[in-house]
Amino acid sequence: YEMEMRSVVVTKVKLTNINKEDINVLIADAFHCPESITASLTDLVYHKTNGNVLFINQFLQSLCDGGLVQWSNVSNSWEIKMASIKAECVPDDIVKVLMSKILQLSVNAQLTIMLMSCVGSSCSEPTLLLFLNDKTVKNIKREGMVDEVGRPDMLPSFSEAVREGFLKK
C-alpha cells in the first residue's frame, strides 16, 4: 500500500492453489513415471498441502530428505514408500514441516533467513550485508560468524540456506 501511495508501479500477482489432477501431472513429470503410479502419492500430497505450490515443493522435499521418496540405482527409478509415508507422523500443517526444516539449520543460517525475510527470497550477499545494524553485527560476532579480520561473514550461512532451498542467489 505504501509503495502505491508513493506512485511506485506495483504489479500484483495472485497465485491460487492447484487442483489434484494438476498435482498428479506435476509429480508424475518430476519423477518421470506414469500418473497412475503417482496417484496415491498425489492424494496424500494434496491432503497435506491443499494444492499450495510452495507447500507441495517443500512437502516433497521433506519426503525425499526423509528417504521416503528416493532414487534407486538398482531399479533405475524412483521408489515411493507409501506405507512408510502413511505410517510416518507427517504434520498435517505444512508450516510445521517448514519450521522443523528451518530449526534443523545452523543458528547462523536461521539468522540469514531472518534477515532475508526483509527483502524476499532472492538477493546477493552484499545486499544482505546492507541490513546489518550494530545489534545484528554483535549477534553475528557472538555466534562466530566473522571472517579473519572480524567483519561479518554471512557467506557460509547464506550458502547453507540456498542449498536447503530457502533462499535463491
Side-chain angles (χ1 to χ4, degrees):
Y1 178 75
E2 185 178 325
M3 299 291 277
E4 291 171 343
M5 296 303 296
R6 293 184 179 182
S7 299
V8 174
V9 177
V10 176
T11 303
K12 295 180 182 180
V13 178
K14 182 178 180 182
L15 299 176
T16 59
N17 294 344
I18 61 176
N19 63 42
K20 192 185 297 187
E21 293 76 25
D22 290 338
I23 294 171
N24 196 36
V25 170
L26 176 83
I27 292 173
D29 185 54
F31 294 131
H32 303 288
C33 58
E35 293 174 28
S36 58
I37 292 176
T38 59
S40 57
L41 177 61
T42 296
D43 288 340
L44 180 65
V45 169
Y46 183 77
H47 172 73
K48 296 289 186 178
T49 65
N50 200 33
N52 182 302
V53 178
L54 170 67
F55 294 166
I56 292 168
N57 182 47
Q58 291 297 324
F59 183 72
L60 289 172
Q61 185 64 50
S62 73
L63 294 179
C64 290
D65 291 346
L68 300 174
V69 175
Q70 62 187 11
W71 179 256
S72 169
N73 288 327
V74 174
S75 65
N76 202 28
S77 65
W78 287 95
E79 292 182 352
I80 302 169
K81 301 175 183 177
M82 285 305 297
S84 297
I85 292 170
K86 288 177 181 174
E88 187 77 20
C89 183
V90 179
D92 282 328
D93 185 355
I94 194 66
V95 172
K96 291 179 184 174
V97 172
L98 293 173
M99 285 176 43
S100 171
K101 191 171 177 180
I102 289 171
L103 292 174
Q104 291 174 10
L105 298 173
S106 68
V107 172
N108 298 345
Q110 291 177 40
L111 177 61
T112 301
I113 291 170
M114 182 185 71
L115 291 172
M116 282 293 300
S117 70
C118 299
V119 294
S121 65
S122 179
C123 87
S124 62
E125 186 182 15
T127 302
L128 180 62
L129 293 175
L130 292 174
F131 287 88
L132 300 179
N133 58 30
D134 290 338
K135 182 178 178 184
T136 307
V137 170
K138 285 178 187 174
N139 288 338
I140 288 170
K141 287 181 178 179
R142 187 183 70 237
E143 296 295 334
M145 295 173 59
V146 293
D147 63 14
E148 60 279 349
V149 291
R151 292 180 305 221
D153 184 11
M154 302 287 291
L155 187 56
S157 301
F158 186 72
S159 296
E160 179 184 358
V162 168
R163 186 176 54 255
E164 294 299 323
F166 286 104
L167 304 175
K168 297 176 190 171
K169 276 190 178 183

